[in-house]
Amino acid sequence: MFETITISTDMRGVATLTLNRPEKHNAMSGQMIMELTEAASQLGQDDAVRAVVLAAAGKTFCAGGDLGWMQDQMAADKKTRFVEARKLAEMLQALNTMPKPLIGALQGNAFGGGVGMATVCDVAIGVDSLKMGLTETRLGLIPATIGPYVIARMGEARARRVFMSARLFDASEAVDLGLLAKTVSADRLSDAVEDEIRPYLSCAPGAVASAKALVRALGPRIDDAVIDQTIGELVERWETQEAREGIAAFFEKRKPAWNK
């Protein structure tokens, strides 16, 4: 059914949702965005599913948005850009509000939207060798649709350390920033994820769903107005000369004009 992701569920009701574009470092294409939205809906409505693990195939957890998809937005009209930006925003919110515990297993690097994918998880665990970074400003873009989830996880003060600079940071700093709950060696990742899953299997599923909804309601506001704002910010950025230059420089394998 899916082409860019896979889903498997074990006898206990633990589902593993795997990003499956390893040849593209699991960059999020338009198709992957739609498939993740559908997967979140399916898993959220499946009473047999007790917990979900968000994983990835290959060496990279998620390199962010697919640059080909972004390039398409540069050539699209404004209405199309809004439609595509909304699909991305709705995918993130679908995962964020899925009424199942969502545990992220980051086996490799996470950049841009990949950081956003980690922040919609209830718990994210990474290998100790990984690198992370909100790299959008290198391309003349901003972490727009992922912004509410990143800031909800990190808080404004910590977000300011990395939100605008596009600098990369290691797994230890990712823990300090609040993006990861903990780091482990690569051979311990499965065990660490299992340690997070196991307690949920002794909890009432409905109570877990209600508790997750409550903690979201009590946390930073991420409602339709906030999501609409981020969509507008992303579309506005796509229309700038900086974004055109940043995307063009990437595909032409050169430094953008501002990189001195």
Side-chain angles (χ1 to χ4, degrees):
M1 178 179 180
F2 297 122
E3 296 181 9
T4 67
I5 62 174
T6 63
I7 301 174
S8 61
T9 306
D10 69 18
M11 297 287 290
R12 303 172 300 167
V14 177
T16 300
L17 169 58
T18 303
L19 310 181
N20 194 31
R21 298 185 78 212
E23 73 287 354
K24 297 292 187 180
H25 297 281
N26 296 311
M28 291 181 288
S29 63
Q31 183 177 2
M32 179 181 277
I33 289 167
M34 290 189 292
E35 290 185 359
L36 283 168
T37 304
E38 176 61 24
S41 176
Q42 288 184 15
L43 293 168
Q45 295 177 46
D46 189 342
D47 291 339
V49 173
R50 301 289 301 275
V52 180
V53 177
L54 180 61
K59 296 180 178 180
T60 305
F61 175 71
C62 180
D66 183 271
L67 269 294
W69 177 77
M70 291 186 193
Q71 191 176 43
D72 289 343
Q73 307 322 308
M74 309 308 297
D77 58 34
K78 192 167 187 176
K79 181 178 179 181
T80 300
R81 290 172 180 159
F82 266 102
V83 169
E84 291 303 303
R86 183 167 296 281
K87 289 178 183 176
L88 175 57
E90 289 178 349
M91 179 272 288
L92 293 164
Q93 186 69 324
L95 289 169
N96 189 56
T97 59
M98 185 171 58
K100 313 285 181 176
L102 181 61
I103 295 96
L106 281 66
Q107 92 295 1
N109 299 335
F111 304 127
V115 176
M117 293 291 281
T119 62
V120 299
C121 295
D122 300 303
V123 176
I125 302 169
V127 297
D128 50 20
S129 59
L130 72 78
K131 299 287 186 183
M132 301 182 82
L134 293 153
T135 52
E136 288 87 348
T137 54
R138 288 185 186 174
L139 298 170
L141 301 171
I142 59 174
T145 50
I146 67 172
Y149 310 101
V150 171
I151 294 170
R153 178 61 57 86
M154 298 169 67
E156 181 185 347
R158 288 184 294 184
R160 286 187 178 209
R161 289 164 49 183
V162 294
F163 200 78
M164 301 88 76
S165 68
R167 75 172 174 85
L168 303 186
F169 47 91
D170 62 18
S172 176
E173 186 172 2
V175 173
D176 181 58
L177 289 166
L179 291 170
L180 299 178
K182 60 184 174 182
T183 65
V184 295
S185 60
D187 62 351
R188 279 277 305 146
L189 183 60
S190 294
D191 290 340
V193 170
E194 180 62 26
D195 288 344
E196 296 294 334
I197 292 169
R198 194 177 299 111
Y200 285 111
L201 303 180
S202 64
C203 297
V208 170
S210 295
K212 180 170 179 176
L214 178 60
V215 76
R216 285 190 293 100
L218 296 175
R221 179 174 61 92
I222 306 177
D223 57 13
D224 289 346
V226 169
I227 292 171
D228 286 346
Q229 179 184 356
T230 68
I231 291 169
E233 294 278 358
L234 179 57
V235 171
E236 184 176 330
R237 261 283 118 189
W238 274 337
E239 295 179 345
T240 64
Q241 178 56 39
E242 283 187 343
R244 287 191 288 273
E245 167 65 7
I247 299 296
F250 176 87
F251 280 103
E252 293 166 13
K253 294 181 171 54
R254 61 173 174 84
K255 292 182 178 181
W258 56 79
N259 190 340
K260 305 299 185 183

